[in-house]
Each structure stands twice: as structure tokens, then as C-alpha cells.
Amino acid sequence: MSSYPQNNTIDGFILLGIFSHSQTDLVLFSAVIMVFMVALCGNVLLILLIYVDPRLHTPMYFFLSQLSLMDLMLVCNIVPKMAVNFLSGRKSISFVGCGIQIGFFVSLVGSEGLLLGLMAYDRYVAISHPLHYPVLMSQRVCLQIAGSSWAFGILDGMIQMVAAMSLPYCGSRTLDHFFCEVPTLLKLACADTSLFDTLLFACCVFMLLLPFSIIVASYARILGAVLHMRSAQARKKALATCSSHLTAVSLFYGAAMFIYLRPRRYRTPNHDKVVSMFYTVLTPMLNPLIYSLRNREVMGALRKGLDRCRIISQQ
């Protein structure tokens, strides 16, 4: 019999986490902290470069700064609490803290998925309609695209947070995960969750498959435009501008669809934890590297910034 009372508003949950205190897991935990620091520094640096360098004040880099902000908030929502629990050995999270973590997590993942989809439309306009690009992707349109991504993501997060926290939780309060994720939390509810399962699936279909369909449609048009280009150099340049975005899309959607669109009978806690670690920690680290190391303009802005710092330090 569990010793946890049944009062949702007082008691929290126990997060089993992903690491034990074995020598191997200590090394893995250290690696995760290093990845977290790289993600933190990489995304902050990318946001600063885009903000201070006038050459990066274009729609593509504006969207990239929003993507970096989402990644930054996502990794800070998950890793610090996981690290505190691991180092302290307490493994607990309050009921309110769990709800806040769910709200931020779902909002940021949903916003990022929509933004990646709409970034594909930006690439389509840039390649297929270059002469009309400044008009079609004006500052007002860019703000509307970014704002709608944030708005729908936050709405999705609020719906799932309120629904999940409204369920009664009795008996065991042990989550076999390293953070509060809705599918894992639902297993502890002592009520019929079939309606919420349907709601969760509908939200996932909308927030994942809708932007993914925009990506597929946009890149189908892009491919058609590229194939009609007479210059091999123009084709190469067009594909190069899309390669970073396609890499980020593959990392994000591959992991997210594996977690949320699989039938429940195929889910296992170990698989969910490993894949969740991939897109909550590893992907936020990889995105700034993908968009910087493979981008001449970003690398140019970085070198310019380093040269400026070197000159100031020598004065």
C-alpha cells in the first residue's frame, strides 16, 4: 500500500529519473550537463549575434532567433530540475511544479513544431518567389508567423496542463521518467482517461501533423523550383539554404512523433526516457550548431564579434 496521501494540492510526485548512481551513469550525467551548457551558450550566442549584426536582420534569422529562444527555455525547463533531483537524491517534484513543467514543455514543443513548419514556407517563398520575397515576408508577416506559433503552442500547453492537473491521482505517485510528461502522468490517474487520451491525440495531430504537412508541401514546391533552375550553382545554393532547416526538422519531428503518435501498447518507459532526452536536451544543443557551422553569414557575424572583442580587450 502506498504511503502517499491522495490530496493533489499538497503532495507531489516522485521522478525516478534516467540515471542511477553507478559509475557509468555518473559519466552519462556529466555528459548531459555538458550538453546542457553547450545548448545554453549556443542558443544565447546565436540570439545575440542575430540581434546585434544588421546583416542577420532578415526573416530567416528572425525565425531562427525565435527557435533558439524556444530551445533555450525548453532545456532550462527540464535539465536544472533533473540535475537537482539527481544530485540531492530527493527525486521529488511538487504538484504545482509538475503542472508548470507540463505547461512550459507542451507550449514550447508545440510552438517549435509550428515554427519549423512555417519556416519551411519562408524557404519556399525565398526560393520560388525571390523577387516578391520582401513583400510576401514583410516584418508584419514575420511577426504574425512567430506570434501565431507562440499563441497556438501556449494554448495547447494550457489545455493539456489544466486537463492533466484536474485528474485525481491516488495510490502510487511514482513517475518512471525524469520530468513530468503527460502520457507518463496519465498512467497514475485513478479515473477514466479515455476522453483525455482522445484530446491529447487530437492536439498532437494538430500540433505535429499540420506543420509537418506544411513542410512536405513547401519542400515539394521547392524541389520543383530547384529542378527548373538552369544554373547548377543556383541549385546548389538553394539546396544549401534548406539543408540546415531539413536537419532540424528531422531531429525534432522524428523524436516527437515517436513519443506522441505511437499506440500506447508499444510504449516502454526506457524508450520514452531516451527519446525524450534526445529532443529536450540534445536537439536544443544541435540546432544552434547546425545553423551556425553550416552558415557563412552566421560564422561571419561570429568572427566579426570576436574581432571586436579582441580590439576592445587590447585597448
Side-chain angles (χ1 to χ4, degrees):
M1 180 70 65
S2 171
S3 60
Y4 297 111
Q6 297 184 13
N7 191 335
N8 285 348
T9 61
I10 297 176
D11 297 312
F13 301 95
I14 302 299
L15 297 170
L16 292 182
I18 193 170
F19 301 118
S20 66
H21 285 273
S22 67
Q23 195 68 31
T24 301
D25 280 0
L26 286 172
V27 173
L28 291 174
F29 173 76
S30 301
V32 168
I33 296 302
M34 289 181 63
V35 169
F36 168 71
M37 294 305 298
V38 173
L40 203 65
C41 296
N43 284 292
V44 169
L45 179 60
L46 194 54
I47 291 170
L48 288 175
L49 286 175
I50 293 171
Y51 178 76
V52 302
D53 196 311
R55 294 175 299 177
L56 302 182
H57 293 174
T58 63
M60 184 179 77
Y61 292 110
F62 169 71
F63 295 138
L64 183 53
S65 71
Q66 296 300 299
L67 184 68
S68 287
L69 180 59
M70 292 170 186
D71 280 337
L72 186 63
M73 294 175 66
L74 178 61
V75 77
C76 289
N77 181 49
I78 302 297
V79 178
K81 179 60 178 175
M82 181 193 72
V84 168
N85 281 3
F86 177 79
L87 295 172
S88 67
R90 287 183 302 178
K91 297 187 175 182
S92 62
I93 186 169
S94 67
F95 186 82
V96 173
C98 186
I100 291 172
Q101 198 173 61
I102 286 173
F104 271 102
F105 172 76
V106 175
S107 296
L108 292 167
V109 169
S111 297
E112 186 164 335
L114 285 171
L115 185 62
L116 284 169
L118 294 170
M119 284 172 71
Y121 172 74
D122 169 68
R123 291 298 82 209
Y124 158 69
V125 175
I127 292 171
S128 300
H129 305 284
L131 297 178
H132 301 289
Y133 183 73
V135 176
L136 294 174
M137 297 302 295
S138 64
Q139 184 179 25
R140 180 168 170 267
V141 172
C142 291
L143 290 173
Q144 287 175 341
I145 287 175
S148 62
S149 298
W150 282 103
F152 279 109
I154 291 170
L155 178 62
D156 185 28
M158 292 296 293
I159 290 172
Q160 293 198 37
M161 179 184 69
V162 171
M165 295 296 101
S166 298
L167 292 170
Y169 296 97
C170 45
S172 173
R173 292 295 185 92
T174 303
L175 284 168
D176 193 3
H177 216 306
F178 59 91
F179 72 102
C180 283
E181 192 171 29
V182 174
T184 306
L185 189 64
L186 289 183
K187 296 176 183 178
L188 304 184
C190 50
D192 182 17
T193 63
S194 56
L195 180 61
F196 188 26
D197 286 334
T198 304
L199 173 66
L200 180 62
F201 185 77
C203 287
C204 290
V205 168
F206 178 77
M207 299 301 288
L208 290 175
L209 294 187
L210 177 63
F212 187 73
S213 65
I214 295 173
I215 292 169
V216 172
S218 296
Y219 276 104
R221 293 290 190 91
I222 289 171
L223 183 61
V226 169
L227 291 176
H228 284 88
M229 290 179 180
R230 296 180 179 180
S231 169
Q233 187 66 26
R235 286 197 296 268
K236 184 178 179 181
K237 184 178 180 181
L239 292 173
T241 62
C242 299
S243 60
S244 297
H245 180 254
L246 280 173
T247 305
V249 164
S250 301
L251 292 172
F252 178 85
Y253 280 95
M257 287 181 177
F258 180 83
I259 288 289
Y260 290 103
L261 298 184
R262 279 183 306 157
R264 177 176 287 186
R265 63 180 179 274
Y266 295 119
R267 294 176 182 169
T268 62
N270 287 336
H271 287 166
D272 286 351
K273 285 190 282 188
V274 170
V275 177
S276 294
M277 181 66 71
F278 182 83
Y279 73 85
T280 58
V281 183
L282 192 61
T283 299
M285 179 203 73
L286 291 175
N287 279 344
L289 296 178
I290 290 168
Y291 279 102
S292 59
L293 295 177
R294 302 180 66 178
N295 190 298
R296 293 179 182 177
E297 292 174 318
V298 173
M299 293 304 293
L302 179 59
R303 282 192 293 269
K304 182 180 176 182
L306 292 174
D307 290 340
R308 187 181 303 168
C309 292
R310 192 179 301 112
I311 292 170
I312 294 173
S313 64
Q314 290 174 353
Q315 291 177 348

